[in-house]
Amino acid sequence: QVQLVESGGGLVQAGGSLRLSCAASRRTFSSYAMGWFRQAPGKEREFVAAVSWSGDNTFHADSVKGRFTISRVGTKNTVYLQMNSLKPEDTAVYYCAAANKYDSRRYYVPTGSGEYDYWGQGTQVNY
């Protein structure tokens, strides 16, 4: 079992920035692909960004490309989502997720919510 704890959410102003963090409870974090999803009120959960277990490959949704950046630090068992130039439509609860099925695929970046095995409790971002 892996526990994921997000932090860093809050209230931002026009064009502001936030950095979300997701800390994983297990050392095997290094073999997990990691992703960020978000859910706005009245909408379905949507993919935001993900990084392969190796850290060699990332993928960002078109809606955040060029503004958000996902990264991971293995020594800290932590994945980050740097969010710049925030917009009103970025308001949502942001969830961190971990996928443990792709350790044999160095560059694979899962983008579907069904591909992930563990989820955090979420952190609120308000514009």
PDB file of all heavy atoms in Angstrom, residues 38 63-69 82-87 89-90:
ATOM      1  N   ARG A  38      -7.172  16.552 -11.940  1.00  0.00           N
ATOM      2  CA  ARG A  38      -7.934  17.585 -11.239  1.00  0.00           C
ATOM      3  C   ARG A  38      -9.417  17.396 -11.505  1.00  0.00           C
ATOM      4  O   ARG A  38      -9.815  16.823 -12.527  1.00  0.00           O
ATOM      5  CB  ARG A  38      -7.481  18.982 -11.652  1.00  0.00           C
ATOM      6  CG  ARG A  38      -7.792  19.355 -13.104  1.00  0.00           C
ATOM      7  CD  ARG A  38      -7.185  20.713 -13.436  1.00  0.00           C
ATOM      8  NE  ARG A  38      -7.468  21.116 -14.814  1.00  0.00           N
ATOM      9  CZ  ARG A  38      -6.976  22.193 -15.387  1.00  0.00           C
ATOM     10  NH1 ARG A  38      -6.144  23.001 -14.717  1.00  0.00           N
ATOM     11  NH2 ARG A  38      -7.287  22.488 -16.640  1.00  0.00           N
ATOM     12  N   SER A  63      -4.383  21.686 -22.142  1.00  0.00           N
ATOM     13  CA  SER A  63      -4.919  22.827 -21.403  1.00  0.00           C
ATOM     14  C   SER A  63      -3.896  23.459 -20.458  1.00  0.00           C
ATOM     15  O   SER A  63      -4.061  24.605 -20.041  1.00  0.00           O
ATOM     16  CB  SER A  63      -6.154  22.409 -20.615  1.00  0.00           C
ATOM     17  OG  SER A  63      -5.828  21.355 -19.726  1.00  0.00           O
ATOM     18  N   VAL A  64      -2.845  22.717 -20.121  1.00  0.00           N
ATOM     19  CA  VAL A  64      -1.846  23.248 -19.183  1.00  0.00           C
ATOM     20  C   VAL A  64      -0.456  23.310 -19.786  1.00  0.00           C
ATOM     21  O   VAL A  64       0.473  23.815 -19.137  1.00  0.00           O
ATOM     22  CB  VAL A  64      -1.807  22.414 -17.887  1.00  0.00           C
ATOM     23  CG1 VAL A  64      -3.191  22.323 -17.274  1.00  0.00           C
ATOM     24  CG2 VAL A  64      -1.226  21.027 -18.125  1.00  0.00           C
ATOM     25  N   LYS A  65      -0.295  22.820 -20.997  1.00  0.00           N
ATOM     26  CA  LYS A  65       1.019  22.772 -21.630  1.00  0.00           C
ATOM     27  C   LYS A  65       1.605  24.177 -21.747  1.00  0.00           C
ATOM     28  O   LYS A  65       0.924  25.119 -22.151  1.00  0.00           O
ATOM     29  CB  LYS A  65       0.902  22.137 -23.004  1.00  0.00           C
ATOM     30  CG  LYS A  65       2.213  21.636 -23.591  1.00  0.00           C
ATOM     31  CD  LYS A  65       1.938  20.780 -24.817  1.00  0.00           C
ATOM     32  CE  LYS A  65       1.209  19.511 -24.465  1.00  0.00           C
ATOM     33  NZ  LYS A  65       0.986  18.634 -25.646  1.00  0.00           N
ATOM     34  N   GLY A  66       2.854  24.301 -21.347  1.00  0.00           N
ATOM     35  CA  GLY A  66       3.517  25.594 -21.364  1.00  0.00           C
ATOM     36  C   GLY A  66       3.319  26.400 -20.097  1.00  0.00           C
ATOM     37  O   GLY A  66       4.000  27.417 -19.893  1.00  0.00           O
ATOM     38  N   ARG A  67       2.391  25.982 -19.251  1.00  0.00           N
ATOM     39  CA  ARG A  67       2.139  26.694 -17.979  1.00  0.00           C
ATOM     40  C   ARG A  67       2.463  25.823 -16.774  1.00  0.00           C
ATOM     41  O   ARG A  67       2.951  26.333 -15.763  1.00  0.00           O
ATOM     42  CB  ARG A  67       0.676  27.126 -17.892  1.00  0.00           C
ATOM     43  CG  ARG A  67       0.238  28.055 -19.010  1.00  0.00           C
ATOM     44  CD  ARG A  67      -1.165  28.595 -18.762  1.00  0.00           C
ATOM     45  NE  ARG A  67      -2.172  27.536 -18.708  1.00  0.00           N
ATOM     46  CZ  ARG A  67      -2.970  27.322 -17.668  1.00  0.00           C
ATOM     47  NH1 ARG A  67      -2.867  28.063 -16.582  1.00  0.00           N
ATOM     48  NH2 ARG A  67      -3.875  26.352 -17.718  1.00  0.00           N
ATOM     49  N   PHE A  68       2.187  24.532 -16.864  1.00  0.00           N
ATOM     50  CA  PHE A  68       2.419  23.611 -15.754  1.00  0.00           C
ATOM     51  C   PHE A  68       3.589  22.697 -16.105  1.00  0.00           C
ATOM     52  O   PHE A  68       3.787  22.329 -17.269  1.00  0.00           O
ATOM     53  CB  PHE A  68       1.194  22.730 -15.505  1.00  0.00           C
ATOM     54  CG  PHE A  68      -0.015  23.445 -14.956  1.00  0.00           C
ATOM     55  CD1 PHE A  68      -0.093  24.827 -14.901  1.00  0.00           C
ATOM     56  CD2 PHE A  68      -1.097  22.713 -14.500  1.00  0.00           C
ATOM     57  CE1 PHE A  68      -1.208  25.472 -14.400  1.00  0.00           C
ATOM     58  CE2 PHE A  68      -2.224  23.335 -13.989  1.00  0.00           C
ATOM     59  CZ  PHE A  68      -2.281  24.712 -13.952  1.00  0.00           C
ATOM     60  N   THR A  69       4.322  22.280 -15.069  1.00  0.00           N
ATOM     61  CA  THR A  69       5.427  21.355 -15.271  1.00  0.00           C
ATOM     62  C   THR A  69       5.450  20.334 -14.147  1.00  0.00           C
ATOM     63  O   THR A  69       5.484  20.704 -12.974  1.00  0.00           O
ATOM     64  CB  THR A  69       6.778  22.090 -15.292  1.00  0.00           C
ATOM     65  OG1 THR A  69       6.767  23.088 -16.318  1.00  0.00           O
ATOM     66  CG2 THR A  69       7.912  21.112 -15.575  1.00  0.00           C
ATOM     67  N   GLN A  82       4.485  22.281 -10.820  1.00  0.00           N
ATOM     68  CA  GLN A  82       4.679  23.719 -10.830  1.00  0.00           C
ATOM     69  C   GLN A  82       3.628  24.333 -11.753  1.00  0.00           C
ATOM     70  O   GLN A  82       3.571  23.985 -12.938  1.00  0.00           O
ATOM     71  CB  GLN A  82       6.081  24.075 -11.326  1.00  0.00           C
ATOM     72  CG  GLN A  82       6.353  25.563 -11.419  1.00  0.00           C
ATOM     73  CD  GLN A  82       6.359  26.245 -10.060  1.00  0.00           C
ATOM     74  OE1 GLN A  82       6.940  25.743  -9.105  1.00  0.00           O
ATOM     75  NE2 GLN A  82       5.695  27.394  -9.979  1.00  0.00           N
ATOM     76  N   MET A  83       2.834  25.218 -11.215  1.00  0.00           N
ATOM     77  CA  MET A  83       1.738  25.824 -11.971  1.00  0.00           C
ATOM     78  C   MET A  83       1.973  27.320 -12.081  1.00  0.00           C
ATOM     79  O   MET A  83       2.002  28.016 -11.064  1.00  0.00           O
ATOM     80  CB  MET A  83       0.407  25.535 -11.281  1.00  0.00           C
ATOM     81  CG  MET A  83       0.170  24.057 -11.008  1.00  0.00           C
ATOM     82  SD  MET A  83      -1.503  23.710 -10.417  1.00  0.00           S
ATOM     83  CE  MET A  83      -1.508  24.620  -8.898  1.00  0.00           C
ATOM     84  N   ASN A  84       2.147  27.798 -13.284  1.00  0.00           N
ATOM     85  CA  ASN A  84       2.363  29.216 -13.548  1.00  0.00           C
ATOM     86  C   ASN A  84       1.220  29.771 -14.395  1.00  0.00           C
ATOM     87  O   ASN A  84       0.480  29.014 -15.020  1.00  0.00           O
ATOM     88  CB  ASN A  84       3.692  29.414 -14.281  1.00  0.00           C
ATOM     89  CG  ASN A  84       4.890  28.947 -13.482  1.00  0.00           C
ATOM     90  OD1 ASN A  84       4.905  29.035 -12.252  1.00  0.00           O
ATOM     91  ND2 ASN A  84       5.901  28.450 -14.175  1.00  0.00           N
ATOM     92  N   SER A  85       1.118  31.083 -14.428  1.00  0.00           N
ATOM     93  CA  SER A  85       0.108  31.764 -15.246  1.00  0.00           C
ATOM     94  C   SER A  85      -1.274  31.158 -15.032  1.00  0.00           C
ATOM     95  O   SER A  85      -1.983  30.837 -15.983  1.00  0.00           O
ATOM     96  CB  SER A  85       0.489  31.682 -16.725  1.00  0.00           C
ATOM     97  OG  SER A  85       1.761  32.244 -16.956  1.00  0.00           O
ATOM     98  N   LEU A  86      -1.634  31.015 -13.785  1.00  0.00           N
ATOM     99  CA  LEU A  86      -2.898  30.362 -13.460  1.00  0.00           C
ATOM    100  C   LEU A  86      -4.093  31.152 -13.993  1.00  0.00           C
ATOM    101  O   LEU A  86      -4.077  32.397 -14.042  1.00  0.00           O
ATOM    102  CB  LEU A  86      -3.011  30.165 -11.957  1.00  0.00           C
ATOM    103  CG  LEU A  86      -2.179  28.976 -11.442  1.00  0.00           C
ATOM    104  CD1 LEU A  86      -1.895  29.112  -9.966  1.00  0.00           C
ATOM    105  CD2 LEU A  86      -2.916  27.682 -11.736  1.00  0.00           C
ATOM    106  N   LYS A  87      -5.123  30.396 -14.369  1.00  0.00           N
ATOM    107  CA  LYS A  87      -6.342  30.961 -14.937  1.00  0.00           C
ATOM    108  C   LYS A  87      -7.538  30.538 -14.086  1.00  0.00           C
ATOM    109  O   LYS A  87      -7.453  29.552 -13.330  1.00  0.00           O
ATOM    110  CB  LYS A  87      -6.537  30.441 -16.360  1.00  0.00           C
ATOM    111  CG  LYS A  87      -5.386  30.736 -17.299  1.00  0.00           C
ATOM    112  CD  LYS A  87      -5.653  30.101 -18.660  1.00  0.00           C
ATOM    113  CE  LYS A  87      -4.509  30.368 -19.631  1.00  0.00           C
ATOM    114  NZ  LYS A  87      -4.765  29.740 -20.959  1.00  0.00           N
ATOM    115  N   GLU A  89     -10.061  28.875 -14.918  1.00  0.00           N
ATOM    116  CA  GLU A  89     -10.450  27.500 -15.224  1.00  0.00           C
ATOM    117  C   GLU A  89      -9.525  26.458 -14.601  1.00  0.00           C
ATOM    118  O   GLU A  89      -9.782  25.259 -14.714  1.00  0.00           O
ATOM    119  CB  GLU A  89     -10.525  27.291 -16.743  1.00  0.00           C
ATOM    120  CG  GLU A  89      -9.279  27.680 -17.503  1.00  0.00           C
ATOM    121  CD  GLU A  89      -9.368  29.091 -18.087  1.00  0.00           C
ATOM    122  OE1 GLU A  89      -9.892  29.990 -17.402  1.00  0.00           O
ATOM    123  OE2 GLU A  89      -8.895  29.275 -19.229  1.00  0.00           O
ATOM    124  N   ASP A  90      -8.463  26.895 -13.950  1.00  0.00           N
ATOM    125  CA  ASP A  90      -7.590  25.963 -13.236  1.00  0.00           C
ATOM    126  C   ASP A  90      -8.112  25.651 -11.833  1.00  0.00           C
ATOM    127  O   ASP A  90      -7.563  24.775 -11.153  1.00  0.00           O
ATOM    128  CB  ASP A  90      -6.167  26.532 -13.127  1.00  0.00           C
ATOM    129  CG  ASP A  90      -5.493  26.678 -14.473  1.00  0.00           C
ATOM    130  OD1 ASP A  90      -5.662  25.786 -15.336  1.00  0.00           O
ATOM    131  OD2 ASP A  90      -4.786  27.690 -14.670  1.00  0.00           O
TER     132      ASP A  90
END
